[in-house]
Amino acid sequence: MTPEVVIAGGGPTGLMLAAELALAGVDAVIVERRASQGLAGSRAGGLHARTIEVLDQRGIADRFLAEGKTAQVAGFAKVSLDISDFPTRHNYGLGLWQNHIERILADWVRELGVTIHYGHEVTGFVQDATGVDVELAAGQRLRAQYLVGCDGGRSLIRKAAGIEFPGWDPTTSALIAQVEMAEEPPLGIHRDAFGIHSFGRLEYEIRDGQVVYKDHGPVGVMVTEEHIGPLRDPTLRDPTLSDLSKALIAVCGTDYGVHNPTWISRFTDMTRQAAAYRDKRVLLAGDAAHVHAPDGGQGLNTGVQDAVNLGWKLAQVVKRTSPESLLDTYHAERHPVAARVLRNTMASVALRRPDQRTKAVGELMAELLSMEEPRRHFAAMMSGLDIHYDLGEGHPQIGRRMPDLDVVTADGPRRVFTLLHDARPVLLNLGEPGSVDITRWSDRVDLIDATYAGTWELPVLGAVTVPTAVLIRPDGYVAWVEDPARQGLADALTTWFGPPTVA
């Protein structure tokens, strides 16, 4: 077996990357240490607006929307941030547990013909000038052109590549579990001098906008631990039922007769980011590249968007359409995004400390966020709708995502996102048909003549001037906008999609 790319890790980031590579015609395999796609424990609980947009541009958003519950989920410093008035088709978040997100993604990946090797763990690798030899726990070896570590915060790939992981040690930790209890705990969310704690039945229903729990069944628990413990990184040791009992007694004075755990896990506010997202033929994405507190539910979403940024670039390098230097733009674009997520989560953790001084800061922050402009800024930031890249000067749309316009093409009415379902770049010509010539790139860029009536409004910038032509990358970001002199198109095409074919 000689795949072109080996992906270590079959979580959301690895699955999304595999799909992007498959759409681009690259042979990729996933190596996942779990025996199946089954996921024990509570991980991410949903998708933010920008991630739903990403899934929509691949034509699969409806699969997730059909199983989840839409809601206004963005927030900061205990303040909910409503994005229902933002100019996007998906001006909401989606409540859906990670095990369902992974299952839906895995089904899509299989439809695309990607092989997932469950029960196989990468134990090491050796890279040279032409590829990477990947070693598996069972003694097998895979040879590939590139290896991507999507193997989580404890990433073996990152460590073996010698990529530094600087950041900050944890200041707080919490246990989460699914258990049975002999006594009834106080259901709901509670705050005290220790921090935040919650109890909830797994079975519940929504009545008049309120959560109403059933009176039976397992209990979901989250409890802030009194002490972080002797380890610098508590996530390196899996917690036990005894740990959970002690934490409950310290906080509540009783453990409610906790027994028969289905799973127990620990999370902290440890905050770290890989110094580099690439070491020659080895790359990192998702939690392997950045870890932080779960505040705001941004981890899974950031990883999926890492994958969409990396996938088309890696595919073009593998296919020798673009030079290897294109991969450097992955770090340049995505590292600052994750750095801001780390900053946001550290601030959020700091603002939920229980002392009176921090409480006062939080109250002032809440007042600030009640004002319209700060609200929109923070709402766009926490939902991911303001993510943009430095792709050049000129039209304000450059470096930002293309809005999902309703255009009319030769084949009839289309949404812009439907033009991106195959993960190919698009030159959208809204001017005179035939006025833009990309013949020398026609083998890799789709030219679509269309008409559009109306204005463009972006979630952060508001209304912008409608251009006559835009070059849209496979990840949905605009790389070029036509100016009156019609300059720069050849340079943009070459930069992002390789040199022109020889006439």
Side-chain angles (χ1 to χ4, degrees), residues 98 226 271 297 303 369 466:
Q98 181 171 331
E226 183 178 10
T271 304
L369 293 180
V466 178

Side-chain angles (χ1 to χ4, degrees), residues 45-388:
L47 302 172
H48 284 300
R50 177 50 49 89
T51 307
I52 302 172
E53 286 185 343
V54 166
L55 298 171
D56 195 2
Q57 73 182 24
R58 295 297 180 257
I60 60 170
D62 287 348
R63 303 187 187 195
F64 298 86
L65 294 171
E67 295 198 27
K69 181 176 179 60
T70 59
Q72 293 301 321
V73 301
F76 184 78
K78 302 179 186 177
V79 178
S80 297
L81 300 170
D82 194 325
I83 63 169
S84 59
D85 59 344
F86 276 44
T88 169
R89 294 183 193 272
H90 304 291
N91 51 5
Y92 46 75
L94 182 71
L96 187 65
W97 289 115
Q98 181 171 331
N99 58 331
H100 298 297
I101 294 171
E102 287 196 15
R103 172 177 48 79
I104 297 169
L105 281 174
D107 288 344
W108 179 47
V109 164
R110 292 189 189 95
E111 291 171 14
L112 295 173
V114 176
T115 299
I116 306 176
H117 296 288
Y118 291 110
H120 290 74
E121 184 172 5
V122 175
T123 57
F125 62 85
V126 177
Q127 61 172 317
D128 54 40
T130 61
V132 187
D133 291 309
V134 183
E135 302 172 4
L136 305 182
Q140 302 156 298
R141 288 195 175 190
L142 298 175
R143 175 73 177 179
Q145 291 187 40
Y146 288 89
L147 168 65
V148 185
C150 302
D151 52 339
R154 306 180 193 180
S155 173
L156 179 143
I157 306 303
R158 184 189 66 242
K159 295 172 184 175
I163 296 175
E164 294 185 1
F165 203 41
W168 296 267
D169 291 337
T171 65
T172 183
S173 62
L175 297 176
I176 52 176
Q178 178 182 320
V179 297
E180 294 181 11
M181 289 183 164
E183 305 169 25
E184 184 74 4
L187 302 181
I189 299 174
H190 313 279
R191 293 179 172 87
D192 59 25
F194 285 98
I196 301 176
H197 324 286
S198 66
F199 302 92
R201 299 282 183 190
L202 296 185
E203 296 186 28
Y204 64 90
E205 57 185 72
I206 306 294
R207 297 180 192 166
D208 299 325
Q210 300 295 317
V211 176
V212 180
Y213 294 102
K214 298 294 180 66
D215 59 1
H216 61 277
V219 177
V221 178
M222 185 192 81
V223 56
T224 300
E225 295 183 277
E226 183 178 10
H227 304 292
I228 298 176
L231 298 175
R232 292 185 63 197
D233 178 5
T235 62
L236 294 178
R237 179 176 67 83
D238 293 329
T240 65
L241 183 61
S242 175
D243 292 327
L244 179 60
S245 176
K246 291 176 182 176
L248 286 168
I249 291 172
V251 170
C252 306
T254 176
D255 66 1
Y256 301 102
V258 62
H259 64 283
N260 196 22
T262 303
W263 53 262
I264 306 173
S265 63
R266 175 184 277 113
F267 68 86
T268 78
D269 67 333
M270 183 178 70
T271 304
R272 297 187 182 279
Q273 185 176 22
Y277 282 15
R278 176 189 173 210
D279 176 57
K280 299 183 284 294
R281 291 182 173 270
V282 177
L283 300 109
L284 304 175
D287 289 351
H290 39 75
V291 296
H292 51 82
D295 292 52
Q298 299 171 86
L300 181 152
N301 292 269
T302 305
V304 167
Q305 293 173 45
D306 285 346
V308 175
N309 184 284
L310 174 60
W312 65 274
K313 296 174 181 178
L314 182 56
Q316 289 184 180
V317 173
V318 167
K319 296 162 77 172
R320 294 178 172 80
T321 301
S322 294
E324 195 172 302
S325 59
L326 180 63
L327 294 177
D328 294 334
T329 68
Y330 168 58
H331 173 98
E333 293 175 7
R334 292 304 299 173
H335 193 277
V337 172
R340 189 175 64 169
V341 170
L342 267 60
R343 183 193 65 184
N344 294 345
T345 56
M346 285 193 294
S348 180
V349 170
L351 286 171
R352 58 178 166 84
R353 289 176 184 144
D355 64 274
Q356 290 302 309
R357 287 179 173 81
T358 303
K359 183 179 179 182
V361 175
E363 290 171 349
L364 286 174
M365 195 71 184
E367 290 181 19
L368 175 65
L369 293 180
S370 68
M371 303 175 186
E372 181 61 13
E373 285 307 311
R375 177 194 71 84
R376 291 187 68 83
H377 172 78
F378 271 84
M381 179 172 62
M382 299 306 292
S383 61
L385 290 172
D386 71 336
I387 294 173
H388 61 280

Side-chain angles (χ1 to χ4, degrees), residues 413-438:
R414 300 284 297 277
R415 288 171 48 200
V416 166
F417 280 9
T418 66
L419 305 178
L420 298 170
H421 281 184
D422 294 330
R424 284 175 56 86
V426 171
L427 193 294
L428 183 64
N429 177 31
L430 299 174
E432 187 69 25
S435 61
V436 180
D437 181 16
I438 61 167

